Amino acid sequence: MLEDQSRVTLFWFTIAMMGLVVIVAIVTLLRACGGSVAVDPPLAIRTHEISLCPGEQHQFTIENEVEVTWETSGGTIGENGLFTAGAEVGDYTVTATRRDSRQADKAIVHVIACTPTPTVTPSPTPSPTATPAVTPTPEPPTPVPAADPQGDVGLYQTGGAVEGVPAGMDIRAANVTADLRVELQPTAGVPAELVGWAAEGEVLLWLSLHQPVPTPPTVFTDWLFALDLDGDTTTGRPAGASRINPDLGTEAALGVSYNPANGQYEPYLWVWDAAQEDWTEEPDVARFTMAGSRTLIGLAVPLETLAQTVAQMSGVTVTPEAVKGRAAVLSYVGEQGVIDFYPNLPE
């Protein structure tokens, strides 16, 4: 009897020891797996979609501090992720690939036609909301010059001479005075073809050309106005940020572009976003018309909409008696940008 009890005790002791060994083995295995399996965090580009003008730059960065190789389907990108947009408008893909694995992430760059910009991004300037707008003493408007000399179109980057200037881009006159004053709602001097075209409460800008716009244009062309809506060069897009505004702090760009890729004229209103230090588009706001002679282009936008948007985005109050601006027509000869300014740039 005692021998049977000893066997039973030994049996259950053995079972308990085996269970203990199994538990220890499982715990050890779980700890080993947890300590040896490392999961890399997903690779992520901080900016997945951005719009740039031709020649503008953007610094792409990675969420996690890892080494990556950068590639792009258009424009150029450096080893550190600095992307420079090319001259051709379109959508391009930027790819970052992790060097120690096959992880990759992509971003989309929309290169769009807009107010000409330099290849170097201007240094940040204080927000317009931090600097009170200066309203200059109104001055009597200077008469609009009768005409702009024909043939003064030049290369966008250097101003050098151009051979084979595209038709429909050499400006003859516009509603900008010699001292850059712009009357947003002109009551005199409006070409007969535009009298009554702009609705009540709309801004009206116009420019006339030495030669008619072809039917249709054969190259990308952009007719536009850069506007300093409070006459203060310390607000809006910094003066000197592009060739069109060496002497203007621009809060808005109003224009119309023609893209031969889709055969469409596209009017636009761009407003300077002080917080983002970049342009933002206000869709379906601007209107345009072209006279039957195809040598006159009119642009219109509701003044109230313009004033509200500029106040919101730039922190600037539109001051009609202080508005300044400059007209320009940008086009391309091959891959070279060519431009005509009105009035001409200061020497």
Side-chain angles (χ1 to χ4, degrees):
M1 184 67 178
L2 182 60
E3 185 177 350
D4 290 341
Q5 289 179 347
S6 297
R7 287 178 179 177
V8 171
T9 302
L10 180 61
F11 172 77
W12 286 112
F13 176 79
T14 302
I15 294 298
M17 292 301 294
M18 290 176 63
L20 180 61
V21 170
V22 171
I23 292 172
V24 172
I26 292 174
V27 171
T28 303
L29 181 61
L30 291 175
R31 288 180 176 177
C33 291
S36 62
V37 177
V39 179
D40 291 333
L43 181 66
I45 299 176
R46 282 196 172 93
T47 305
H48 279 93
E49 188 171 8
I50 190 171
S51 296
L52 298 175
C53 301
E56 281 192 331
Q57 294 180 314
H58 176 75
Q59 178 65 61
F60 283 100
T61 55
I62 299 298
E63 291 285 356
N64 305 305
E65 298 298 330
V66 295
E67 293 186 355
V68 298
T69 300
W70 293 97
E71 296 178 322
T72 179
S73 63
T76 59
I77 192 165
E79 294 182 357
N80 64 346
L82 181 61
F83 177 85
T84 303
E88 296 295 326
V89 298
D91 296 336
Y92 302 98
T93 302
V94 170
T95 305
T97 304
R98 188 164 177 166
R99 294 183 181 179
D100 58 1
S101 71
R102 294 189 177 183
Q103 284 189 346
D105 195 19
K106 298 180 184 294
I108 300 297
V109 179
H110 305 286
V111 179
I112 58 177
C114 52
T115 304
T117 56
T119 57
V120 179
T121 302
S123 301
T125 57
S127 171
T129 57
T131 304
V134 178
T135 303
T137 302
E139 299 176 6
T142 302
V144 177
D148 188 38
Q150 188 171 5
D152 58 349
V153 179
L155 292 174
Y156 172 63
Q157 294 292 349
T158 65
V162 177
E163 293 185 3
V165 175
M169 70 165 298
D170 198 354
I171 303 174
R172 181 181 182 276
N175 60 328
V176 183
T177 64
D179 60 353
L180 305 182
R181 298 286 181 176
V182 177
E183 190 175 354
L184 296 180
Q185 296 177 312
T187 56
V190 177
E193 298 94 325
L194 294 179
V195 173
W197 174 72
E200 184 178 357
E202 280 190 318
V203 170
L204 172 63
L205 302 178
W206 58 266
L207 56 83
S208 65
L209 306 165
H210 284 287
Q211 296 178 319
V213 177
T215 311
T218 58
V219 294
F220 174 87
T221 308
D222 193 8
W223 300 267
L224 65 129
F225 286 78
L227 299 173
D228 185 340
L229 293 168
D230 63 351
D232 184 358
T233 58
T234 66
T235 60
R237 189 184 191 198
S242 66
R243 292 200 66 220
I244 196 172
N245 73 326
D247 43 9
L248 299 169
T250 48
E251 285 84 29
L254 179 62
V256 58
S257 62
Y258 177 82
N259 187 349
N262 58 22
Q264 298 294 320
Y265 288 92
E266 299 175 358
Y268 60 86
L269 171 65
W270 291 84
V271 176
W272 184 251
D273 186 332
Q276 300 295 324
E277 296 182 341
D278 200 357
W279 293 110
T280 181
E281 185 176 10
E282 295 299 312
D284 304 322
V285 172
R287 301 192 302 121
F288 96 103
T289 186
M290 185 179 297
S293 63
R294 302 186 69 82
T295 60
L296 178 66
I297 292 175
L299 298 162
V301 64
L303 178 57
E304 183 178 1
T305 301
L306 177 65
Q308 290 177 349
T309 306
V310 168
Q312 179 183 0
M313 305 304 295
S314 292
V316 166
T317 299
V318 175
T319 309
E321 65 273 15
V323 174
K324 290 188 174 184
R326 179 175 280 111
V329 181
L330 170 68
S331 191
Y332 290 93
V333 176
E335 295 185 355
Q336 288 186 319
V338 294
I339 197 165
D340 187 25
F341 298 105
Y342 185 92
N344 291 330
L345 300 182
E347 297 181 358

